[in-house]
Amino acid sequence: MSLVSFREYERIPVVERLASPAERKLSVAEIDALDALAARLKIPLIEHLSRSRVRPAQYVGAVFVAGRTIELLPKIERTEGECELPTVRQNLLKMLLVACDLDGATPGQAALEHSDDGWLDILLRLFARALADQLRRGLIRRYRAEADDLPAVRGRLQIEEQLRRNLVHRERSACEFDEFDEDHALNQLFRVAIRRMLRVASNTVTQQALRELLPAFEGVSDVEPTGDWLARVTLDRIDERFGLCLGMARLFLQGTTTGLYAGGRSSFALLFDMNDLFEKFVARTLRRQLRGSGLELSIQDVRFHLVRDPQTEQRLFRLRPDIVVRHREAVCCVVDTKWKRLSPEERKLGIAQGDLYQVLAYAEGYASSAVLLLYPWDPTGGAHESVRKRLVFEGGRRSTVTIGEVALDELAAVGERLEDLLRRAAMLEEVSL
């Protein structure tokens, strides 16, 4: 399977036919397929700039169309013009795993950082390795309720069913009994994940690693997973060691936002909204960084509303900021993330007016004197400045809005960068916590 990679907002030529599968262009047939996918999933996937140029929007991931795997990668690099695809893939994968609380899958992956494989193959290999490690300790077996006609009584005899079905077949007994085997929901989920991963794995090493897992699940039934069914698969203390594997399998089967759509190799997509991914990555990274600091962090806090109806006292329009940081139960900063690029050359930095209205509502609703509006750093905007500008709202609390940027080229340093930015935004640099 041929792999071609494009960057977020990269201008891509459109041609009638590709000269080769490796050509970094999109054919008209591929554009039609991507447009159909976008309509089906109701997401902005490709922007049409002209009849001969398109560019990816804010969704990243992998799509299989017309015999090629199209890899859509975020714009994350150290300097303007620098583009090391293996590093970008590794950073995307790490962000995804951290955002989904699956970062236990990433230790010691130095061998993957210089891989030329697509990020999807790397994810599949991480899953295969994690599941193989657990299978060496044995497959989980469970009791499950069964009912069947048996030649001898086993468990409990179902009197009504015996009279209804076997009145003239006395050699059969309608029984209800417990079966102790490996055919339960968790293993069924792993089996369907492995089989679907095999359809889209492009690397022979990845395919082999997945095939080696299948014999362990020979006695497990094939199922057609639905979103509700996936959500109902849970762990207990006996099988909690499979938690990382379950998380990665779910990530593959349903994705973060749009997931996998039905079909075989000719219809596959695993796509993630960078707005959502950036928000979750920042929140979970900052939460880990602030442990033991005296600061408490809430993600997607929903304690307050924007207005209330004085006649009914009903509160309306729930506020839901990305991050709320408290010190000794008092809100010291509200953080809102935006996966957009600032425009330092503009007087207003390219900030959308609606975004400021939104954080003003957060500041008033949460009685916070400090708000941090956080963007990813873009090297085209010049040197990295964690604080781009401070603004003060007119009227009301006169809260301060800090316009901040965080560089994502070195993910290991992001936690410290976020904490420093938060302390500067909330004026906590000299406060002993």
Side-chain angles (χ1 to χ4, degrees), residues 249-264:
R250 275 190 178 139
L251 174 65
F252 175 79
L253 290 171
Q254 63 185 162
T256 314
T257 52
T258 60
L260 180 71
Y261 64 102

Side-chain angles (χ1 to χ4, degrees), residues 336 338 340-344 347-352 355-356 359 371-376 385-393 400-406 421 424-425:
D336 196 47
K338 300 294 179 185
K340 301 175 183 176
R341 266 46 181 189
L342 292 175
S343 303
R347 183 169 57 92
K348 299 179 181 179
L349 300 178
I351 300 170
D355 292 342
L356 285 175
V359 295
V371 177
L372 172 59
L373 198 51
L374 184 63
Y375 297 82
E385 298 179 22
S386 57
V387 174
R388 275 288 178 185
K389 183 171 287 195
R390 294 186 192 272
L391 304 172
V392 177
F393 284 121
T400 299
V401 184
T402 300
I403 311 301
E405 291 179 306
V406 59
L421 189 50
R424 294 172 65 184

Side-chain angles (χ1 to χ4, degrees), residues 86-133:
T87 301
V88 174
R89 290 176 182 131
Q90 186 72 1
N91 282 352
L92 170 60
L93 183 57
K94 287 180 180 178
M95 288 181 66
L96 189 57
L97 294 174
V98 169
C100 297
D101 285 327
L102 298 173
D103 45 317
T106 58
Q109 296 303 321
L112 296 177
E113 293 184 4
H114 303 290
S115 171
D116 290 328
D117 296 331
W119 75 269
L120 180 57
D121 261 74
I122 299 174
L123 173 65
L124 301 189
R125 285 204 297 277
L126 287 175
F127 167 79
R129 183 176 302 176
L131 186 55
D133 288 344

Side-chain angles (χ1 to χ4, degrees), residues 215-270:
F217 297 92
E218 282 185 358
V220 178
S221 302
D222 287 316
V223 297
E224 188 62 35
T226 64
D228 291 341
W229 181 84
L230 287 170
R232 289 197 301 270
V233 179
T234 57
L235 301 173
D236 56 27
R237 62 179 183 83
I238 296 174
D239 51 22
E240 63 183 5
R241 61 187 175 91
F242 285 92
L244 184 61
C245 306
L246 174 60
M248 284 193 283
R250 275 190 178 139
L251 174 65
F252 175 79
L253 290 171
Q254 63 185 162
T256 314
T257 52
T258 60
L260 180 71
Y261 64 102
R265 286 174 66 97
S266 60
S267 55
F268 168 81
L270 189 61

Side-chain angles (χ1 to χ4, degrees), residues 2-18:
S2 179
L3 172 70
V4 61
S5 301
F6 297 109
R7 309 298 302 285
E8 183 184 21
Y9 298 113
E10 176 183 348
R11 296 170 66 89
I12 307 171
V14 178
V15 295
E16 189 65 32
R17 262 184 213 84
L18 296 172

Side-chain angles (χ1 to χ4, degrees), residues 79-278:
T79 59
E80 184 180 359
E82 182 179 341
C83 178
E84 298 178 357
L85 287 182
T87 301
V88 174
R89 290 176 182 131
Q90 186 72 1
N91 282 352
L92 170 60
L93 183 57
K94 287 180 180 178
M95 288 181 66
L96 189 57
L97 294 174
V98 169
C100 297
D101 285 327
L102 298 173
D103 45 317
T106 58
Q109 296 303 321
L112 296 177
E113 293 184 4
H114 303 290
S115 171
D116 290 328
D117 296 331
W119 75 269
L120 180 57
D121 261 74
I122 299 174
L123 173 65
L124 301 189
R125 285 204 297 277
L126 287 175
F127 167 79
R129 183 176 302 176
L131 186 55
D133 288 344
Q134 295 306 320
L135 290 178
R136 278 191 279 272
R137 298 171 56 186
L139 198 62
I140 298 295
R141 295 162 65 103
R142 290 182 179 279
Y143 284 104
R144 56 185 174 87
E146 280 289 326
D148 200 359
D149 291 339
L150 302 177
V153 175
R154 179 183 174 189
R156 185 172 65 87
L157 183 66
Q158 297 177 299
I159 303 298
E160 291 185 6
E161 292 299 314
Q162 180 70 16
L163 294 175
R164 186 175 66 85
R165 295 202 309 262
N166 298 330
L167 189 60
V168 296
H169 295 282
R170 298 191 177 183
E171 75 282 4
R172 301 188 313 213
S173 300
C175 301
E176 186 177 53
F177 55 94
D178 289 331
E179 188 76 68
F180 185 66
D181 61 16
E182 66 275 11
D183 195 12
H184 53 82
L186 178 62
N187 289 338
Q188 291 167 358
L189 186 149
F190 287 145
R191 178 177 172 87
V192 72
I194 294 167
R195 291 171 67 88
R196 291 196 177 187
M197 288 175 180
L198 277 168
R199 298 179 191 173
V200 299
S202 58
N203 182 284
T204 55
V205 175
T206 307
Q207 293 167 358
Q208 181 61 28
L210 292 169
R211 287 195 187 97
E212 290 175 356
L213 299 174
L214 278 178
F217 297 92
E218 282 185 358
V220 178
S221 302
D222 287 316
V223 297
E224 188 62 35
T226 64
D228 291 341
W229 181 84
L230 287 170
R232 289 197 301 270
V233 179
T234 57
L235 301 173
D236 56 27
R237 62 179 183 83
I238 296 174
D239 51 22
E240 63 183 5
R241 61 187 175 91
F242 285 92
L244 184 61
C245 306
L246 174 60
M248 284 193 283
R250 275 190 178 139
L251 174 65
F252 175 79
L253 290 171
Q254 63 185 162
T256 314
T257 52
T258 60
L260 180 71
Y261 64 102
R265 286 174 66 97
S266 60
S267 55
F268 168 81
L270 189 61
L271 297 165
F272 303 92
D273 187 344
M274 279 303 301
N275 291 300
D276 186 57
L277 179 55
F278 180 56

